[in-house]
Amino acid sequence: MSGLNPYLEKKICVITADGRTLVGKLVSCDNQTNLVLQSTVERIIRDPDDPEPSAEEPLGLYIVRGDNVCTVGLVDEDLDDSIDWTKVKGAAIGGTKHS
């Protein structure tokens, strides 16, 4: 049984080891933190100096290997829906080094 079972069928945000931000509905998980997300989008947040707008890239049904998962959190859907993600700017999270 995974500690993420209470998140099943809910919208979550996943930060990966390489600094990507994925948002989608958690449809399956296991003890190794392998995740299956439905209606997944990758949020590409641009640097404040970048003239290009931030973006959400649709990925659909998406599998994230457990060894690539850094953080998983529930999404406040009302708050999330109220944000225009194309206007959000910020510094890159950066990758995580496993030693």
Side-chain angles (χ1 to χ4, degrees):
M1 174 176 242
S2 170
L4 294 174
N5 282 345
Y7 292 3
L8 285 171
E9 301 303 317
K10 295 182 179 163
K11 190 174 185 179
I12 64 168
C13 179
V14 179
I15 307 297
T16 65
D18 59 355
R20 296 170 66 203
T21 301
L22 306 172
V23 178
K25 183 168 105 176
L26 181 64
V27 293
S28 183
C29 59
D30 64 14
N31 288 336
Q32 285 75 45
T33 320
N34 294 306
L35 308 175
V36 179
L37 303 175
Q38 182 179 17
S39 304
T40 310
V41 296
E42 178 180 0
R43 292 204 172 130
I44 303 164
I45 307 301
R46 307 280 185 207
D47 190 84
D49 297 331
D50 190 337
E52 191 173 341
S54 294
E56 288 190 311
E57 182 71 29
L59 303 174
L61 188 65
Y62 201 76
I63 297 172
V64 185
R65 287 180 45 132
D67 60 357
N68 196 32
V69 173
C70 282
T71 304
V72 176
L74 283 175
V75 171
D76 179 329
E77 293 192 49
D78 291 334
L79 177 60
D80 190 62
D81 291 342
S82 73
I83 297 170
D84 180 354
W85 290 100
T86 64
K87 292 184 169 52
V88 174
K89 297 281 187 161
I93 294 174
T96 301
K97 182 178 177 183
H98 295 282
S99 40

